[in-house]
Amino acid sequence: MNIKVRVNPVFDHLKGYLKSLPVTFNENGETLKNDRNEIKVIEHDNLKLCIKSFKRVTVFNRYMYSWFRHTKAKRSYKVACRLEKHGINTPQPVGYVEVYDKLHILREAYYVSLYLDYDFDMKDVLDKTIDCKERILTSFAREMATVVHPAGAWHNDLSQGNVLINKLGDDYWRFSFIDLNRMTFRRRILPVKGLINLKKLTDNPVAIALMAEQYAIEADRSP
């Protein structure tokens, strides 16, 4: 078994721990989600880590990830680092682990970030009665129009559960993005295209109208 580890220089002291994940992951931590992939929170060295295990890799993808494509774990790490450079919020990346057999065929992979405590996610905003819902949606549209899309960041899986929200003050929220392996970067995202990205969040016409109007204003277009 060949284990490849890449660690954010800030967390270089965790390299040995990351290398042990193929053995220790199943034995420790609290499972947050377990379907196609398993996500756990594990505390180590006074840090609360969020670890995503990409174990259920199809036979076809094992060969593709081994020789032709970056693994989902590596893509998640690289995207997170790039988001940080652009001032876009995401749980701080720690590193990733890839496990290969003797023939260098991928068996499993892990992406590791710091765990982010958050107040609610976009699903809570859209599906439940939350104070300031309108202002949260317009603030999110502003964030997308002025920070995320100008940086070329395009989240192909912009679902409600992939936007985490922290209230930092009156009418001031921080939006953080997770599940990054399907996020890409484009040279330019036109306002009309940006609105299409927002439609992935909901089919609620009122919510879409609120976000679209604010997005247009921030993009200097007619609402």
Side-chain angles (χ1 to χ4, degrees):
M1 183 170 64
N2 179 28
I3 302 176
K4 177 181 177 181
V5 179
R6 172 71 182 275
V7 181
N8 185 332
V10 177
F11 300 102
D12 192 60
H13 62 288
L14 294 178
K15 188 171 184 178
Y17 174 71
L18 263 64
K19 193 170 184 178
S20 74
L21 281 178
V23 176
T24 62
F25 179 80
N26 290 331
E27 304 168 356
N28 300 296
E30 174 189 356
T31 298
L32 301 181
K33 183 179 180 182
N34 191 6
D35 43 32
R36 288 182 305 168
N37 308 302
E38 184 173 3
I39 301 175
K40 278 188 171 184
V41 174
I42 299 177
E43 294 192 29
H44 177 78
D45 197 24
N46 295 319
L47 294 172
K48 199 171 184 180
L49 304 175
C50 184
I51 304 174
K52 187 171 185 177
S53 170
F54 301 94
K55 285 188 175 181
R56 301 179 184 179
V57 186
T58 65
V59 174
F60 173 77
N61 281 334
R62 281 180 181 172
Y63 288 96
M64 295 300 291
Y65 293 144
S66 298
W67 293 308
F68 303 109
R69 298 177 185 168
H70 292 321
T71 64
K72 292 181 179 180
K74 183 175 182 177
R75 291 205 306 269
S76 298
Y77 176 77
K78 290 173 71 70
V79 167
C81 292
R82 191 164 177 180
L83 290 178
E84 284 193 323
K85 289 180 180 179
H86 287 288
I88 301 171
N89 296 305
T90 190
Q92 188 173 5
V94 173
Y96 66 90
V97 181
E98 297 168 341
V99 183
Y100 298 90
D101 63 16
K102 293 181 180 180
L103 299 177
H104 197 71
I105 304 300
L106 181 72
R107 290 302 173 188
E108 54 196 77
Y110 303 84
Y111 170 61
V112 184
S113 69
L114 293 187
Y115 177 78
L116 176 66
D117 284 310
Y118 59 97
D119 296 321
F120 42 85
D121 60 23
M122 191 59 76
K123 182 176 176 61
D124 295 323
V125 176
L126 292 166
D127 291 354
K128 300 177 182 178
T129 301
I130 288 183
D131 293 339
C132 307
K133 175 185 291 190
E134 179 177 338
R135 292 198 290 275
I136 292 173
L137 292 175
T138 54
S139 294
F140 179 72
R142 184 181 304 114
E143 178 88 358
M144 296 296 286
T146 62
V147 180
V148 179
H149 287 157
W154 182 268
H155 204 316
N156 289 290
D157 191 15
L158 189 64
S159 64
Q160 297 173 9
N162 288 340
V163 181
L164 308 182
I165 305 170
N166 291 87
K167 185 174 182 179
L168 303 181
D170 292 337
D171 291 337
Y172 182 43
W173 296 270
R174 181 181 65 206
F175 302 97
S176 302
F177 297 90
I178 60 172
D179 204 0
L180 305 178
N181 70 85
R182 294 190 61 213
M183 181 176 274
T184 57
F185 287 85
R186 304 182 178 190
R187 181 174 299 179
R188 187 182 182 192
I189 299 175
L190 296 173
V192 173
K193 193 72 173 178
L195 290 175
I196 292 174
N197 202 199
L198 291 179
K199 283 178 61 179
K200 291 178 176 288
L201 281 174
T202 181
D203 57 3
N204 183 306
V206 176
I208 290 176
L210 283 170
M211 290 188 290
E213 181 178 26
Q214 188 64 42
Y215 190 102
I217 291 171
E218 299 296 337
D220 199 23
R221 294 291 193 274
S222 169

